[in-house]
Amino acid sequence: DGGITQSPKYLFRKEGQNVTLSCEQNLNHDAMYWYRQDPGQGLRLIYYSQIVNDFQKGDIAEGYSVSREKKESFPLTVTSAQKNPTAFYLCASSIDLWDRAINEKLFFGSGTQLSVL
Amino acid sequence: AQSVTQLGSHVSVSEGALVLLRCNYSSSVPPYLFWYVQYPNQGLQLLLKYTSAATLVKGINGFEAEFKKSETSFHLTKPSAHMSDAAEYFCAVSDRRGYQKVTFGTGTKLQVIP
């Protein structure tokens, strides 16, 4: 079955530590996204990528970094510069970024809950 | 700039009763509008979307929403609530420039009382 796989489901970060969240998709989608979800705040876009080796900052990119070395993979690193990392992180994908994508669905993974020790 | 406002962070209905979740949007251009559902500890699933065809949009699981330009609303309804409808629902708006420009609302948690 095609879909998006996020791992781990739960992750704990120590102060000063960088942690990486994995996101893999086998939908052959060009575009991938990372969202942060905080209670009562909805979803906020961290980074997005239209194509391999290219990515752009979203609305809340500070303290995060990404890479897109393969079409199917879009890992997110939460760096020590992110002072409030506790949140639910969602990865998503779509066929592409542009209007054609709107005629299709935005597919979501099942999320990673990151907490600070 | 675009935005969505979901009225009521928590809504409770009895099983079998009407479900009404409210969403009002703001957009400087004709919008695309979406409703997503999220079950606990899971990602979001698309319920339905409005992309400028019929103003009454039918989605999965018996949900539907009506686009009302004069009221800038896109409320989600279901005639009869089921226990399995208990989840969090998000309204979202796009200015048609792709998913990187989608703005999500703050969500409404639906509780269904037996």
Side-chain angles (χ1 to χ4, degrees):
Chain A
D1 289 339
I4 299 180
T5 301
Q6 289 187 243
S7 63
K9 193 168 182 64
Y10 300 97
L11 186 59
F12 296 90
R13 193 191 89 167
K14 296 179 181 179
E15 191 172 342
Q17 184 183 39
N18 293 350
V19 292
T20 298
L21 285 61
S22 171
C23 178
E24 303 276 334
Q25 55 101 355
N26 60 3
L27 299 165
N28 200 33
H29 284 171
D30 286 317
M32 297 187 74
Y33 314 79
W34 273 106
Y35 289 93
R36 171 176 170 143
Q37 183 177 17
D38 295 278
Q41 295 193 41
L43 277 69
R44 293 180 290 170
L45 184 63
I46 305 172
Y47 268 98
Y48 62 95
S49 169
Q50 181 181 357
I51 198 169
V52 174
N53 293 322
D54 181 67
F55 47 84
Q56 303 295 329
K57 293 182 179 179
D59 300 320
I60 55 164
E62 186 174 352
Y64 300 97
S65 65
V66 294
S67 63
R68 187 86 186 276
E69 297 177 359
K70 298 185 296 182
K71 185 176 184 178
E72 59 270 23
S73 179
F74 191 42
L76 173 74
T77 296
V78 184
T79 74
S80 57
Q82 173 49 247
K83 299 306 180 186
N84 184 25
T86 297
F88 191 55
Y89 290 86
L90 286 164
C91 179
S93 72
S94 63
I95 287 179
D96 58 34
L97 284 179
W98 311 115
D99 279 347
R100 188 165 71 96
I102 295 296
N103 293 316
E104 305 293 337
K105 287 195 300 185
L106 193 60
F107 287 80
F108 283 87
S110 56
T112 294
Q113 175 64 51
L114 175 63
S115 302
V116 176
L117 289 176
Chain B
Q2 60 190 23
S3 65
V4 289
T5 301
Q6 290 185 241
L7 298 176
S9 59
H10 292 79
V11 170
S12 294
V13 300
S14 298
E15 190 174 16
L18 171 71
V19 175
L20 171 61
L21 304 182
R22 300 179 185 274
C23 173
N24 288 90
Y25 71 91
S26 172
S27 177
S28 57
V29 299
Y32 287 153
L33 294 158
F34 310 84
W35 275 101
Y36 283 87
V37 61
Q38 184 181 33
Y39 298 100
N41 298 315
Q42 293 188 26
L44 278 67
Q45 301 172 34
L46 182 67
L47 272 179
L48 49 81
K49 61 183 177 183
Y50 166 76
T51 57
S52 75
T55 57
L56 182 62
V57 181
K58 294 186 183 298
I60 62 173
N61 301 338
F63 284 94
E64 62 182 38
E66 185 172 8
F67 172 69
K68 291 187 177 181
K69 183 178 179 181
S70 61
E71 299 177 7
T72 61
S73 69
F74 191 58
H75 302 331
L76 182 70
T77 61
K78 182 174 180 178
S80 177
H82 191 272
M83 295 299 295
S84 61
D85 294 328
E88 189 160 19
Y89 293 80
F90 291 91
C91 182
V93 62
S94 167
D95 64 1
R96 305 184 174 206
R97 287 182 289 160
Y99 277 117
Q100 78 276 25
K101 299 298 183 183
V102 171
T103 301
F104 287 86
T106 54
T108 297
K109 285 189 177 177
L110 176 65
Q111 180 186 21
V112 181
I113 303 167

